[in-house]
Structures are given as C-alpha cells and as structure tokens.
Amino acid sequence: MLFEEAEKIRWIGGEGYAFGGWTAAGALAAVLCMLLYCRRKGLKPGSGILMSLMSLVLGILCSRLFFCLLTQELGHMLPISGWIRVSGGGWSTTGIIGGVLLAGWLTARCTGQNAGDLLDAGCLALPLFMIFERLGEQTTIDFDISRVISEETEGGGWLNVQDVYGTYLAVFRIAAILAAALFIMLEIVSRMKKTERGDVFNVFLLLFGSIGILTESLRYDEFLSYHFVKFQMVGAALLLGGGLLAAALRCAKPSKKMKIASAVCLTLMVGLVIGLEFALDRTRTNPVLVYCGMTLTVGIPAVIGLLEIRTERKG
C-alpha cells in the first residue's frame, strides 16, 4: 500500500511513487556517465558495466542500511521486520555515496586496476544522480524544506514553497542547483591536463562535504536527526574530513604550515558548526549572519584541501 499524500505516477499494470521515477532517471544518468567516463579514460573493457551494476546494488543496500540504523522516527532504531518494507520510505544520500565508493573500490580489485580511476568515475556520476533525486523530493509533502522564513502564504518564487503557515526555502532545489554546479566543476577537473587518478574523487569529497553540511543545516524536517544532531550532516563532515586527509596524504611535500592548518581547521570546524547550529535553534541570532559564518567555516578546509592538490600538481 502506498501513502495517499505522496505524488504518484502510473504505468502499464500499476502505480508507484513519483519520487521513484525521479530517482530512476537519476540512476540512468549516473550509469551513462560512468560508462562514458570509463570509455574516455580507456579503462579495461567491462569496467564501466561492472562499476554501474555494483553501484546500483551497493548504493541501494547502503542507503537503506544507513536509514534503518539511524532513523529515530519511532523513538528507536527501525525494527528488523521493517527493513525490507521499502514502500514505506527510508533512504539516505549519505548511504548512496558510501555504496558507490565501495563499488569503485571493489571494481578496481576485481579488474586489477587503480582504484582512483573507478572512484573518479563514481564521484563524477554521483552529482548527476543527486540533481534528479533532489528535484524528486518536491513530490513529497514538507520534505527537505527550511524553517519558516516569512509569514507570507502567497506569491513565492521557485526557490520557495508555501503552505497555510508561511513561506519556506525549497532546500531540495538549492541542493539540486549546487549538485549541477558540482558536476560541472568535476567535469572540468577530469579534463584538465595535469589531473591524476583520484583527483575527481578527492575534489568531490571536499566540495560535496562542505555543500552537504550547509544544505543539511538548512533543512528543518527532522529527517534522520536526533534532537539537534543531524546524521547526514555528520556524514557530510566526515566526507569533508576524509577529503582533506586524502589531499594531505597524496601531497608528496606539503608544507608544515599547511599540515597544521588542515588539523586546526578540522578541529575548529566541528566546534564552530555545532555552535552555529546551537545559535540557530536556541538563540535569536540573525540566520543570515549564522549561515555566512557557517559558509566560511566549511569553506576554509575545502580551500586548503584544493590548495594541497594544486601544490602536488605543480610539484
């Protein structure tokens, strides 16, 4: 049985959620991207197909697992009996990313290739999937939207949604725009002459991690959260930290100052983001000022990581 309030689509022999149609379109776009990238880079025949199949399977499994383990909608972890009831909802973009990265690593092991090549393919395809997935979130009521930003109930723009209580930011549309920009940037990186294996993967971790912290902070639908802790924001912070660590490890001769800056920025970022989230929820601080501070807080580690990659390429 499908939820009545969710938007649906019909096809021959049945009906399903419209959100499923959007995610299927995103998955198709991601698969085509992986196939074309593997062909362009001259990887072993069949690498793209194997990578795509593993990404679909592991992406679905990890996405569902992440949700089932961390959701607190019932006040506790979802019972094991509910894990296979996928028609009831429950997916996670953080889990999908983990599944695709695992698929890249396994494909490299199975085909005897460098893991960087396959991780690059997966990370270039992920933003394409997210564009469709985020736009598909508009088919679910009161999902991936912000706090009330105005008491106006009419005359909103494309980046707003409205109901009888007021106007909200359409965070899902903002996230879709940022995913499109991220795809363009990663495509440019993949075509640069000095790009090496793993660069697209590294840049994806840095940029998506910082973007993910901001978009997850903006949303106010209590999805995958426990009190003030938002688990997908924690996942985005781990991606950003992993990207900064990978950039430092891959850089043959990073300066001592840059190493210190990386460690300090990560430590400060965690504390500042927690403090800024507290300011949003518990004080009357101007949200615009808070998000300016948060953008700066998550942007500095990303910039340091990009500088480390640039230093390595120039060296």
Side-chain angles (χ1 to χ4, degrees):
M1 297 180 62
L2 304 180
F3 290 107
E4 293 183 1
E5 64 270 18
E7 186 177 329
K8 302 175 185 65
I9 54 174
R10 296 181 180 273
W11 62 81
I12 299 174
E15 71 172 1
Y17 295 121
F19 178 73
W22 281 96
T23 53
L28 177 60
V31 166
L32 291 175
C33 180
M34 288 183 198
L35 294 174
L36 291 173
Y37 182 86
C38 290
R39 181 177 180 181
R40 171 156 59 99
K41 292 297 183 178
L43 302 186
K44 290 182 179 180
S47 298
I49 295 175
L50 181 59
M51 173 73 180
S52 300
L53 291 175
M54 282 193 172
S55 294
L56 290 173
V57 173
L58 293 175
I60 290 172
L61 290 177
C62 292
S63 176
R64 183 65 177 172
L65 183 63
F66 189 95
F67 174 85
C68 292
L69 289 174
L70 297 178
T71 183
Q72 295 292 313
E73 292 181 3
L74 301 177
H76 51 76
M77 186 183 75
L78 190 70
I80 300 297
S81 59
W83 288 27
I84 61 174
R85 296 181 59 186
V86 294
S87 62
W91 306 95
S92 159
T93 53
T94 304
I96 288 174
I97 293 171
V100 172
L101 296 183
L102 179 59
W105 180 78
L106 288 175
T107 303
R109 293 296 299 270
C110 291
T111 60
Q113 298 179 96
N114 188 290
D117 288 325
L118 281 307
L119 290 172
D120 286 348
C123 289
L124 182 62
L126 276 168
L128 273 182
F129 168 79
M130 291 174 188
I131 294 170
F132 289 89
E133 185 276 328
R134 292 298 191 184
L135 292 176
E137 290 178 356
Q138 65 190 305
T139 63
T140 304
I141 299 174
D142 296 334
F143 189 71
D144 206 358
I145 59 176
S146 73
R147 300 165 174 81
V148 175
I149 60 173
S150 170
E151 295 182 357
E152 298 292 331
T153 59
E154 295 181 0
W158 188 71
L159 292 179
N160 296 334
V161 292
Q162 295 174 320
D163 59 18
V164 295
Y165 300 105
T167 300
Y168 313 79
L169 280 177
V171 180
F172 55 87
R173 292 194 180 115
I174 296 173
I177 293 172
L178 292 173
L182 178 58
F183 172 75
I184 293 171
M185 295 180 69
L186 293 177
E187 179 66 17
I188 292 173
V189 170
S190 73
R191 294 179 180 275
M192 293 174 65
K193 292 182 179 180
K194 291 187 177 182
T195 298
E196 295 187 5
R197 294 167 172 169
D199 279 356
V200 173
F201 161 66
N202 205 162
V203 173
F204 171 84
L205 292 182
L206 292 167
L207 297 184
F208 182 83
S210 56
I211 289 171
I213 292 172
L214 292 172
T215 54
E216 289 300 322
S217 175
L218 277 173
R219 69 188 299 169
Y220 201 61
D221 55 6
E222 298 185 357
F223 178 70
L224 282 180
S225 62
Y226 182 71
H227 297 299
F228 69 92
V229 179
K230 300 178 180 180
F231 294 120
Q232 295 216 118
M233 182 188 287
V234 174
L238 291 175
L239 291 176
L240 176 54
L244 190 54
L245 177 62
L249 292 176
R250 296 176 67 213
C251 191
K253 295 181 180 180
S255 67
K256 185 177 180 180
K257 291 182 179 179
M258 196 166 286
K259 285 183 177 181
I260 295 174
S262 298
V264 171
C265 276
L266 280 179
T267 304
L268 290 178
M269 183 195 74
V270 173
L272 287 173
V273 168
I274 292 174
L276 291 169
E277 278 291 301
F278 182 84
L280 284 171
D281 291 335
R282 299 290 187 269
T283 70
R284 295 184 178 181
T285 307
N286 188 325
V288 175
L289 293 178
V290 172
Y291 279 109
C292 286
M294 190 172 293
T295 301
L296 184 63
T297 299
V298 302
I300 291 176
V303 170
I304 290 176
L306 294 174
L307 288 174
E308 288 177 336
I309 296 173
R310 181 172 180 269
T311 300
E312 172 67 5
R313 298 299 155 265
K314 290 180 69 175

